[in-house]
């Protein structure tokens, strides 16, 4: 058993434990955490992280959709998914992600537009208020009625997990 000889050493241990606890993705209740990334707003340096992003203790994405944290752009969609997979595996092995959370994060990454020039395209057979359409990742030029033969709407970038297509 380790003994701490000063109050300041004990305080450092408590602060370190709280920081590690805050770094774990919340995926649930988000009291005091506007973007629900698991980092309280008071400590969050990136307060608008998208849902299901894996974040550091500072609240910033470890695999940002815009490109690698080191800068630049993703070479392709596979490079982005590989980054998310590697980080999710590390967090799962460290017991900070459950198997279900890991599965959700990976599905979100695989069904995203990150690393591509594609967009989310929502399609409907009939336009009925409140209906749920289908979401697909495709080239912006293909997301139209003429090509798809059904109602289509460009929803920009993001992920089709969870389906964002309500009308």
């Amino acid at each position: 058993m380790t003994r701490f000889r000063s109050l300041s050493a004990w305080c450092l241990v408590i602060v370190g434990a709280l920081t590690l606890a805050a770094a774990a993705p919340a995926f649930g209740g988000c009291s005091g955490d506007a973007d629900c990334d698991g980092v309280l707003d008071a400590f969050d340096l990136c307060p608008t992280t998208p849902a299901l992003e894996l974040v550091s203790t500072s609240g910033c994405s470890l695999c940002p959709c815009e490109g690698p944290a080191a800068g630049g752009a993703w070479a392709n969609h596979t490079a982005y998914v590989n980054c998310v997979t590697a980080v999710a595996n590390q967090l799962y092995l460290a017991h900070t992600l459950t198997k279900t959370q890991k599965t959700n994060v990976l599905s979100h990454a695989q069904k995203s537009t990150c690393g591509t020039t594609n967009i989310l395209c929502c399609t409907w057979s009939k336009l009925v208020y409140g209906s749920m359409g289908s979401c697909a990742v495709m080239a912006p030029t293909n997301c139209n009625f003429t090509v798809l033969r059904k109602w289509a709407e460009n929803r920009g970038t993001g992920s089709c997990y969870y389906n964002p297509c309500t009308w």
Side-chain angles (χ1 to χ4, degrees):
M1 182 172 170
T2 305
R3 290 186 173 233
F4 297 102
R5 297 187 180 185
S6 70
L7 183 58
S8 60
W10 182 246
C11 289
L12 284 174
V13 169
I14 292 173
V15 169
L18 289 173
T19 302
L20 287 174
F27 299 105
C30 303
S31 181
D33 181 12
D35 59 0
C36 294
D37 63 1
V39 179
L40 295 175
D41 292 339
F43 304 104
D44 201 336
L45 299 180
C46 302
T48 58
T49 309
L52 292 173
E53 289 273 328
L54 298 173
V55 299
S56 66
T57 55
S58 62
C60 296
S61 179
L62 296 167
C63 299
C65 187
E66 303 78 45
W74 294 109
N76 52 42
H77 182 67
T78 302
Y80 168 74
V81 172
N82 287 344
C83 177
V84 173
T85 301
V87 172
N89 285 336
Q90 289 172 349
L91 294 174
Y92 177 72
L93 292 173
H95 303 291
T96 57
L97 277 184
T98 67
K99 190 170 190 173
T100 301
Q101 290 169 337
K102 177 183 165 187
T103 300
N104 291 344
V105 166
L106 294 177
S107 292
H108 177 265
Q110 291 164 347
K111 295 176 181 180
S112 75
T113 58
C114 303
T116 71
T117 57
N118 291 337
I119 50 94
L120 300 182
C121 184
C122 294
T123 59
W124 296 268
S125 297
K126 297 177 184 177
L127 285 181
V128 178
Y129 182 75
S131 65
M132 179 65 74
S134 297
C135 181
V137 175
M138 64 179 63
T141 54
N142 293 338
C143 184
N144 63 61
F145 184 85
T146 309
V147 173
L148 299 172
R149 299 284 186 241
K150 51 186 159 181
W151 298 103
E153 182 178 286
N154 179 335
R155 290 283 177 100
T157 58
S159 176
C160 285
Y161 185 86
Y162 307 99
N163 187 349
C165 301
T166 55
W167 190 76

